[in-house]
Amino acid sequence: MTSAVRHSHRRHVMFSERIDRLQPSPIREILSVIDRPGMVSFAGGLPASETLPDWSGTASADVLQYGPSEGEPALRQVVSERLRSLGVDAPPERVMILGGSQQGIDLVAKLFIDRGTPVAVESPTYLAALQVFRLYGARFVDLDVLGENLARLAYVIPTFANPTGACASDAERDELARRCLSAGTVLFEDDPYRDLAYDDCDRRPVASRMSGGSWVYQGSFSKTFAPGLRLGYLAASAELFPRLVMLKQALDLHTSRLSQSIVLEAVTDPGWDARVEGLVRFYSSRRDAFESAMRRHLGDLAEWHTPRGGLFYWLRLNEHIDTRPLLAEAIRRNVAFMPGEEFFPNEPVLGTMRLNFSHASGDDADRGLATLAGLLRDRTR
Ligand code: PMP
């Protein structure tokens, strides 16, 4: 592709108004050179290293000092290799480590969304992304009519979506990339579940099909390692990345270095692949047990597709009742679920529910589903 054609896609990129006021942090720029040998720095507010608490962890004591906004170089390198193996154009210089991928949603929203900015989303979609986009004033438009609505941003979870568990086909991924490219819409691909694949399906990132366009791709260590560490990452096309780094500087300077060092050690351990394979086996058998329990208890009350990965079942009840008021009653009976109505950007479809199958043990899941079925029978009789 010639560079003229490449740029033609990017001509349309529009940032939020606040980006006119976005400036690099002078202090952060200086901090990136103070490690140079012989440098005497009066610049930053770094505590004297000898005053930092004693450190007996396996990571270097540097983790207690301030660090780079983009993240630890070694971890960015690992993420970059991983993303490149998926076909995403993500050299280490365009990888940023996040305090959880939820943080990436906030950064991208800040970069693009003003009051009334059209943002294309799936319906239903991840409710905490809707929460952030709403906070910045987004107007939600349907992903299926992307071209006509000239959305500035398209937020998608193509692989084992939250809440539906759905995995987009190769053709759907191609089509989405094609429509983003031709409408000049920025693709924002959120991919925290991709490693939790129990059955075969197309998973090559949409971002790997966005050559010449604008995109942000993000992932997370929450589902494969530990959510409490708050560790995620993003990669972005070249014209977006520096602005995302400035927003990150302004937000929290950088992600916890201790968390980064713990994750770096885990992902570079020779046992990492075996760990992920073990997770997949564990959750895959949980899903199978959940599926049989669902058939037993809810078979005549709802419909669903068996998710090929991820953590969720999406239920469509035969009776189109609002499930929100059912939640309080369910909690009184010691069972909790997510009312599906919460996941819709605009008008909700009634009679929908998201059930997580990864957390509860087989016996607890069976008991919980029996209770839920009882409740639904009482309500719909
Ligand atoms: N995106 C999606 C689609 C999610 O489901 C989640 C967590 N449930 C997140 C982002 C945030 O994950 P984290 O901040 O833990 O990386």
Side-chain angles (χ1 to χ4, degrees):
M1 191 178 278
T2 67
S3 77
V5 174
R6 232 185 352 255
H7 284 108
S8 73
H9 291 310
R10 286 196 180 139
R11 205 171 42 216
H12 306 289
V13 175
M14 275 186 61
F15 299 108
S16 61
E17 282 173 17
R18 73 183 65 79
I19 296 305
D20 295 343
R21 301 185 293 274
L22 178 65
Q23 292 174 343
S25 149
I27 189 70
R28 287 266 103 202
E29 306 289 309
I30 298 167
L31 284 182
S32 61
V33 300
I34 60 158
D35 279 346
R36 210 179 273 174
M39 176 75 78
V40 179
S41 171
F42 303 124
L46 273 69
S49 301
E50 58 270 36
T51 68
L52 295 172
D54 280 344
W55 177 247
S56 53
T58 50
S60 137
D62 289 351
V63 299
L64 301 182
Q65 191 53 275
Y66 283 120
S69 295
E70 294 86 341
E72 300 299 312
L75 186 56
R76 295 170 72 199
Q77 179 72 41
V78 171
V79 170
S80 161
E81 281 162 21
R82 166 94 216 269
L83 296 186
R84 284 172 147 176
S85 77
L86 300 173
V88 179
D89 171 29
E93 315 81 75
R94 281 196 276 109
V95 169
M96 179 160 78
I97 307 301
L98 301 167
S101 59
Q102 185 68 29
Q103 184 174 65
I105 298 175
D106 189 76
L107 294 175
V108 172
K110 258 186 200 152
L111 183 56
F112 293 108
I113 304 175
D114 292 311
R115 186 178 288 274
T117 301
V119 175
V121 293
E122 293 156 291
S123 181
T125 190
Y126 177 42
L127 77 125
L130 292 176
Q131 179 191 31
V132 176
F133 297 154
R134 281 194 185 109
L135 184 63
Y136 288 100
R139 178 168 61 81
F140 296 119
V141 301
D142 193 346
L143 195 63
D144 294 332
V145 284
L146 189 56
E148 293 93 280
N149 280 286
L150 293 179
R152 189 179 287 182
L153 183 70
Y155 170 77
V156 289
I157 315 163
T159 305
F160 315 135
N162 183 356
T164 62
C167 189
S169 70
D170 212 41
E172 287 166 332
R173 287 164 195 256
D174 275 345
E175 175 63 11
L176 181 60
R178 194 192 59 72
R179 283 195 287 141
C180 283
L181 287 169
S182 72
T185 298
V186 177
L187 170 81
F188 182 18
E189 181 169 12
D190 193 5
D191 206 9
Y193 300 106
R194 72 168 299 108
D195 290 329
L196 303 181
Y198 319 127
D199 307 322
D200 259 1
C201 57
D202 299 328
R203 280 184 291 156
R204 187 161 66 79
V206 180
S208 73
R209 306 158 202 250
M210 285 292 291
S211 171
S214 297
W215 53 270
V216 179
Y217 173 93
Q218 67 169 21
S220 175
F221 292 105
S222 290
K223 309 293 153 39
T224 46
F225 195 55
L229 292 174
R230 308 307 303 125
L231 237 290
Y233 50 85
L234 67 72
S237 53
E239 77 292 6
L240 305 184
F241 190 79
R243 290 177 178 88
L244 287 164
V245 174
M246 283 188 260
L247 289 169
K248 170 74 175 168
Q249 291 172 345
L251 179 65
D252 66 355
L253 307 184
H254 64 79
T255 296
S256 158
R257 297 184 83 182
L258 180 54
S259 289
Q260 294 187 69
S261 74
I262 294 170
V263 168
L264 178 63
E265 194 175 308
V267 295
T268 51
D269 187 281
W272 175 259
D273 289 346
R275 180 194 153 75
V276 175
E277 283 159 24
L279 268 181
V280 166
R281 275 195 303 277
F282 181 87
Y283 286 143
S284 153
S285 76
R286 279 230 155 140
R287 182 207 54 183
D288 294 345
F290 203 84
E291 175 82 28
S292 350
M294 291 247 292
R295 287 201 185 131
R296 235 175 2 258
H297 299 297
L298 292 160
D300 58 340
L301 292 166
E303 292 183 339
W304 61 84
H305 293 292
T306 309
R308 287 178 291 177
L311 302 179
F312 305 111
Y313 270 84
W314 178 250
L315 260 64
R316 281 158 291 126
L317 302 178
N318 298 344
E319 302 280 338
H320 294 181
I321 49 168
D322 192 333
T323 66
R324 285 170 290 195
L326 284 186
L327 180 60
E329 177 56 23
I331 288 172
R332 271 194 290 281
R333 300 188 195 184
N334 263 340
V335 46
F337 64 89
M338 273 307 300
E341 290 81 4
E342 311 280 9
F343 296 87
F344 289 88
N346 296 316
E347 204 45 42
V349 172
L350 299 184
T352 50
M353 254 182 205
R354 188 193 75 177
L355 301 182
N356 164 271
F357 62 83
S358 60
H359 191 66
S361 70
D363 287 350
D364 286 349
D366 191 71
R367 200 151 23 87
L369 289 171
T371 306
L372 198 56
L375 180 69
L376 287 171
R377 274 183 232 289
D378 289 353
R379 272 310 158 100
T380 55
R381 206 168 15 220

